[in-house]
Amino acid sequence: MAYYRKSSDMNKNPGKKLSISFYSKQKVLCPVCKKEFAKEELLTGSGRMIAGQLTDELRRIFEPSAKYGVIYPMIYSIGACPNCHVAFLWNDFPLLQDEGTISKLLDTETERKKSVETIFPHYNLKREKTLLDGAASYYLALLCYEHMPKQFSPTIKKAQICLRLAWLCGDLEGLCPGYNFNYIQQRFYRKALFFYQEALEFETSHVESIAGISNFGPDIDKNYGYDGVIYLNSLLEFKYGQVENIPERLKRLEENKRSIARIFGLGKSSKNKPGPLLEHSRQLYDNITAVLKDANIIDDDDTD
């Protein structure tokens, strides 16, 4: 099974390998097993990353390079220890000092590895990352943040991780169809919706702040901040929310419509405003409005 194509496969000179990543000279100390491991980082420049369109989910599509092939930049944003299989966003490694959390992560190592291998078999944390290894690292991180204390803002991080996992599973489905990655993708989309909703609820009720994440993303190229969180929560509800309980769905859509209008100034007084987030918010606002009008629960005066 080919989970990715190496950059060297695109090279007309088979004797020369084209590098996509490099290992930093400074090792990373795992706070859990206390062992050091190498940090792999993405090389930039020389036409490696060709930015394409921005999707409605705020994912930046990178076009394949004739020289380097397809590159997945986001897989390098998660660090995964090859010794104890804990994974975090890179900035969190030196911050973890709580012995209780460390003990939980050590105790769940076998269970964590087994869970990840079920979805991403044969992943390997000791080689240059493939798309499969990158997805596995994200899933390891999702399981690890389940045990992290609230000062790490684990809920919003789990939301972002699940959304990226959905994207990566879609990429895997495109490369090797027939392994149920499309089904897994939908599961992660719904998990992302759950965690985005929970993160906003925790922030509002002062249970857990979302300020512990350095970049709201959701992708690595631009930080859309808190407004992006509001937008994504509404978008994911619209695209992947439950449809069994229609009254509850319409209620949530109405709430999301008002949230988008309040944050982005949309609605009757809205004019054409610049910026990709505003443009996508405008489209989402119109889509939700159309659904509510079809359900006859919105007045014409409530639309523009």
Side-chain angles (χ1 to χ4, degrees), residues 270-283:
S270 175
K271 303 296 182 182
N272 292 329
K273 296 183 179 181
L277 182 56
L278 288 172
E279 292 171 5
H280 285 302
S281 299
R282 175 76 228 192
Q283 184 61 57

Side-chain angles (χ1 to χ4, degrees), residues 125-155:
L125 301 179
K126 296 182 178 181
R127 64 185 176 191
E128 293 182 6
K129 277 184 178 176
T130 67
L131 178 58
L132 178 77
D133 302 329
S137 296
Y138 269 97
Y139 192 28
L140 285 170
L142 177 63
L143 299 176
C144 288
Y145 279 109
E146 291 284 356
H147 301 290
M148 296 295 277
K150 64 180 182 180
Q151 58 263 36
F152 283 84
S153 299
T155 306

Side-chain angles (χ1 to χ4, degrees), residues 141-293:
L142 177 63
L143 299 176
C144 288
Y145 279 109
E146 291 284 356
H147 301 290
M148 296 295 277
K150 64 180 182 180
Q151 58 263 36
F152 283 84
S153 299
T155 306
I156 188 61
K157 291 175 182 176
K158 286 186 289 184
Q160 184 185 80
I161 286 168
C162 283
L163 183 55
R164 292 185 182 181
L165 271 167
W167 296 342
L168 294 174
C169 285
D171 295 334
L172 284 166
E173 176 66 22
L175 288 176
C176 44
Y179 291 88
N180 294 321
F181 286 119
N182 55 344
Y183 170 77
I184 299 169
Q185 179 186 40
Q186 296 302 310
R187 294 289 300 272
F188 281 125
Y189 271 129
R190 290 192 287 273
K191 281 181 175 289
L193 169 59
F194 173 81
F195 286 125
Y196 271 112
Q197 289 175 340
E198 191 170 61
L200 288 171
E201 291 171 2
F202 285 172
E203 173 74 13
T204 303
S205 59
H206 306 289
V207 172
E208 177 186 313
S209 172
I210 66 175
I213 190 169
S214 59
N215 189 331
F216 288 96
D219 208 337
I220 65 168
D221 73 318
K222 186 173 178 62
N223 182 3
Y224 287 98
Y226 186 77
D227 288 353
V229 174
I230 297 292
Y231 166 78
L232 284 168
N233 178 67
S234 300
L235 179 75
L236 293 172
E237 180 67 53
F238 179 73
K239 294 177 68 173
Y240 307 107
Q242 64 84 25
V243 294
E244 291 80 14
N245 186 336
I246 296 301
E248 178 63 24
R249 172 170 174 76
L250 294 174
K251 177 183 176 182
R252 284 187 175 273
L253 290 178
E254 173 67 21
E255 293 171 351
N256 289 328
K257 172 180 174 289
R258 296 186 184 281
S259 294
I260 296 170
R262 184 169 59 251
I263 293 294
F264 300 105
L266 302 177
K268 192 170 183 179
S269 62
S270 175
K271 303 296 182 182
N272 292 329
K273 296 183 179 181
L277 182 56
L278 288 172
E279 292 171 5
H280 285 302
S281 299
R282 175 76 228 192
Q283 184 61 57
L284 177 59
Y285 179 91
D286 291 343
N287 291 341
I288 293 177
T289 297
V291 170
L292 295 175
K293 287 188 70 174

